[in-house]
Amino acid sequence: NYSMFRAYGCDWEKFAFGHSDFHADVEYNVNRQYKKLTMNLNPYKTMGAYGWAKVNVYVDGKLVATSPVIEQKTRECVKFEVTVENAEYIIIEPVVSCISGEYDGALLLWDVKLWP
């Protein structure tokens, strides 16, 4: 499983005038059934030279983890793991920079899994 998020030409973004990032979120009701959430992060091929991306994870409305910042020069896959034990619901929020061109972020988020 994978999703690609980029600052330009996509329909997933929430953007407020004057901000320098796009973000979106997906919410899952996990009903206290899982202990951890794992995912892999890589820059997508359209990542600008000065662009960046990250992922925020919320548990029951509270920010509990933010991934390392992914940049064009991020060579190794970033393995991101978050404890979600006793969570009723979780929110996964990809965020990418969006200034223009070489400052635009692009993220490949893949192999997202919940573990009992």
Side-chain angles (χ1 to χ4, degrees):
N1 61 32
Y2 72 93
S3 292
M4 186 274 296
F5 301 92
R6 63 186 181 137
Y8 178 78
C10 53
D11 297 324
W12 63 273
E13 69 267 355
K14 294 179 184 176
F15 178 73
F17 183 73
H19 286 228
S20 62
D21 60 44
F22 283 146
H23 60 102
D25 55 62
V26 62
E27 182 174 328
Y28 295 99
N29 181 344
V30 293
N31 201 27
R32 301 182 194 272
Q33 295 179 10
Y34 301 97
K35 292 184 179 177
K36 71 178 176 177
L37 168 70
T38 60
M39 64 187 77
N40 296 318
L41 309 170
N42 288 94
Y44 186 65
K45 64 184 177 183
T46 60
M47 174 78 79
Y50 304 106
W52 56 265
K54 64 182 179 179
V55 175
N56 295 322
V57 176
Y58 297 81
V59 170
D60 298 334
K62 180 181 176 188
L63 177 64
V64 296
T66 299
S67 73
V69 173
I70 308 300
E71 299 172 314
Q72 185 186 65
K73 294 179 181 174
T74 302
R75 297 289 176 225
E76 300 296 320
C77 173
V78 173
K79 297 187 179 297
F80 185 41
E81 182 176 313
V82 181
T83 299
V84 296
E85 196 166 5
N86 295 318
E88 279 292 322
Y89 66 93
I90 60 171
I91 295 173
I92 301 170
E93 178 189 48
V95 181
V96 299
S97 63
C98 66
I99 298 170
S100 71
E102 63 187 16
Y103 293 93
D104 285 345
L107 176 69
L108 186 61
L109 186 153
W110 57 284
D111 203 21
V112 180
K113 295 179 184 175
L114 284 163
W115 301 85

